[in-house]
Amino acid sequence: MKITHIPNKADIEASHELIQDMIFRTPVMTCQSINHLLETQIYFKCENFQKVGAFKMRGGANAAVRLSREEQAKGLATHSSGNHAQAVARAAQLLGVPAYIVMPSNAPSIKVAATKGYGAEVIHCGPTIDDRTTTLNQVIAEKGATFIHPFDNYDVIAGQATCAKELIEDCPPLDILMAPVGGGGLMSGTALSGKYFSPTSKVYGAEPEIVNDAYRSFHGKGIVKNERIDTIADGLRTNLSEKTYEIIKENLEDIITVSEEMIIKAMRLIWERMKIIIEPSCAVPLAAVMTKSDLFKGKKVGMILTGGNVDLEKLPF
Amino acid sequence: MKITHIPNKADIEASHELIQDMIFRTPVMTCQSINHLLETQIYFKCENFQKVGAFKMRGGANAAVRLSREEQAKGLATHSSGNHAQAVARAAQLLGVPAYIVMPSNAPSIKVAATKGYGAEVIHCGPTIDDRTTTLNQVIAEKGATFIHPFDNYDVIAGQATCAKELIEDCPPLDILMAPVGGGGLMSGTALSGKYFSPTSKVYGAEPEIVNDAYRSFHGKGIVKNERIDTIADGLRTNLSEKTYEIIKENLEDIITVSEEMIIKAMRLIWERMKIIIEPSCAVPLAAVMTKSDLFKGKKVGMILTGGNVDLEKLPF
């Protein structure tokens, strides 16, 4: 059954139950040398080890599993050239139903191959947002498939919320919870889980300076959009939506913006010290701790490492 | 108390107790897509997450902790430009005693810095083995420090054996145990732990074709040496020693040799599918499974991932 309101505590708990066989309960890692360096205690929730290599599996699974059997049978549809595409494809594969993924024809072939590898049908479209919408609407009309929006969807938000829920369950009481902000699906879910399962934790978002729409929206009046998108953190180029803005506006302590240089530095620190592979978007919360270190000194910080899907031939170091 | 014979079961158990506060009990990971691809079930023991980023911490800690307080106080000494240097430095630091590490003057500055970072004194020497031995002997004569050989040392071997012991304890019954072979310290320890704690497991070594001294020694009569050392697996360039040869000769099923190309392919597979950072030497056992896939089909394989210390600016992809 679809969630039609801002997810409450019971919605998130039920979502966690519903998707438990479709996701991994990912480990929480700590790193003595990073803690020592930043004089803080960070608990990293490793969603880079999640199915499809990113937290997006949670939201995709929750949206899929909450459809009726008839809806599922007609297939899941979305537009994405990133981790959400693979999440929807994998969720459909696990349920044994079709997935239709609309991708721009210039999408990286490795992403197309990975999505097809989960059994999805990839439908190419032109490079503009209009092309994408037109093609997606055609697919939905033809197949009767259900569109799963990457973040402007309460089922997706409740699914992403299970990540912070697990992190809270697996850690000592946390002073701070952190996630990066792109479209705001994970950020909204993290804020809600913080509110329900760890009400004394402050929740901070982290965002690249170059795509600071969420920062400006949070501090202003209503949703503003990015004017440029040339950040290395390619998962965070999207703008907030109505549903995510509403939750973020009410439930965040603040959003911290970071430079491109600090993102690369944080990414490298995690690679070198923790020996795990994370994508640039994933390094943004640690970059925020490095940028505003006084705020985090002596604190217990739960931080979501969102994903590990990176092109090894295009590393920034 | 030093171990003066081939470590027996009680020696390895006692070593594990002795070093437990100086090491991490590293996690065992599995990867559905690698298992699916190779039609096998591999349990990866993640020593890339070990202190100093490699299994070498186990042997270094065991050799250090088994010295008398007087011996410890005079310091630990070794020659190494690799992970053993950092292991001895870190073990000394944890015990609050000096470490003297002899390194060639052309050793990578990142390795020198890491070793100094653990509080060790780095003593530079010329590039030849004679230079190294002369300098090490001077240090030992001057300081009264104890030399900890990287592998020709039963305490080191018993320390490395604790890695396979943990792997066996944390997995279902394993058909096969695998480790890479360099000087043979880890390989010997793995073979002994297999014999004592999982006697039905077959133990295989894996070695680059270019530095196949262990393969030739195992199949011949006595220790033979490498004639070239230009493998990407820089941790495996060393030859077997008397102590490691004796154990390996008696306790291995076989040694599988692999091409450079397959090492890089296996390394990339682990990076891309498991999202963890391993060094080239560490990929050699998986390369062996990819090379002799029939041997491993349908089997439960325990595989030690030895370390994750890699220069991010010199990746092979």
Side-chain angles (χ1 to χ4, degrees), chain A residues 5 12 20 24 36 75 121 123 129 198 214 241 264 282 292:
Chain A
H5 46 262
I12 296 172
Q20 66 176 340
F24 294 132
H36 185 74
E121 186 177 322
I123 299 112
I129 294 195
S198 182
S241 69
I264 295 170
C282 186
K292 296 251 181 197

Side-chain angles (χ1 to χ4, degrees), chain A residues 24 29 32 48-49 51 53 90 110 268 271-272 274-277 308-310 312-313 315 317, chain B residues 24 29 32 48-49 51 53 90 110 268 271-272 274-277 308-313 315 317:
Chain A
F24 294 132
M29 291 181 83
Q32 290 183 344
N48 52 335
F49 298 151
K51 288 189 188 180
R90 183 72 175 123
I110 191 170
R268 186 169 185 141
W271 281 50
E272 287 189 341
M274 297 182 66
K275 313 297 180 191
I276 61 174
I277 291 175
N309 293 328
V310 66
L312 293 180
E313 266 138 39
L315 297 178
F317 29 77
Chain B
F24 294 132
M29 291 180 82
Q32 290 182 344
N48 52 335
F49 299 151
K51 287 188 189 183
R90 183 74 176 121
I110 191 169
R268 186 170 185 140
W271 281 51
E272 288 189 341
M274 296 181 69
K275 314 296 181 191
I276 61 175
I277 291 175
N309 293 329
V310 67
D311 185 342
L312 294 180
E313 266 137 39
L315 297 179
F317 31 74

Side-chain angles (χ1 to χ4, degrees), chain B residues 125-233:
Chain B
C125 67
T128 72
I129 295 195
D130 276 354
D131 295 332
R132 193 179 74 176
T133 310
T134 309
T135 308
L136 180 68
N137 287 339
Q138 278 170 357
V139 170
I140 291 170
E142 262 175 45
K143 310 285 185 182
T146 303
F147 173 41
I148 299 180
H149 191 282
F151 49 86
D152 196 42
N153 174 315
Y154 289 130
D155 297 325
V156 170
I157 292 170
Q160 318 306 28
T162 62
C163 182
K165 177 174 179 281
E166 290 179 6
L167 177 59
I168 291 162
E169 288 167 356
D170 292 344
C171 289
L174 296 166
D175 301 306
I176 292 172
L177 279 169
M178 296 189 82
V181 195
L186 178 69
M187 190 75 251
S188 307
T190 303
L192 293 176
S193 277
K195 178 175 164 177
Y196 302 139
F197 304 110
S198 182
T200 59
S201 303
K202 290 181 177 172
V203 181
Y204 284 90
E207 194 179 34
E209 269 162 25
I210 293 183
V211 290
N212 68 349
D213 68 296
Y215 175 85
R216 290 182 293 125
S217 299
F218 181 77
H219 286 284
K221 293 177 181 142
I223 300 177
V224 296
K225 309 230 171 202
N226 291 315
E227 276 139 39
R228 46 188 286 209
I229 56 160
D230 51 333
T231 173
I232 189 176

Side-chain angles (χ1 to χ4, degrees), chain B residues 22 48 62 74 92 134 154 189 267 305 315:
Chain B
M22 298 173 77
N48 52 335
N62 197 40
K74 289 181 187 163
T134 309
Y154 289 130
M267 179 174 166
L305 293 182
L315 297 179

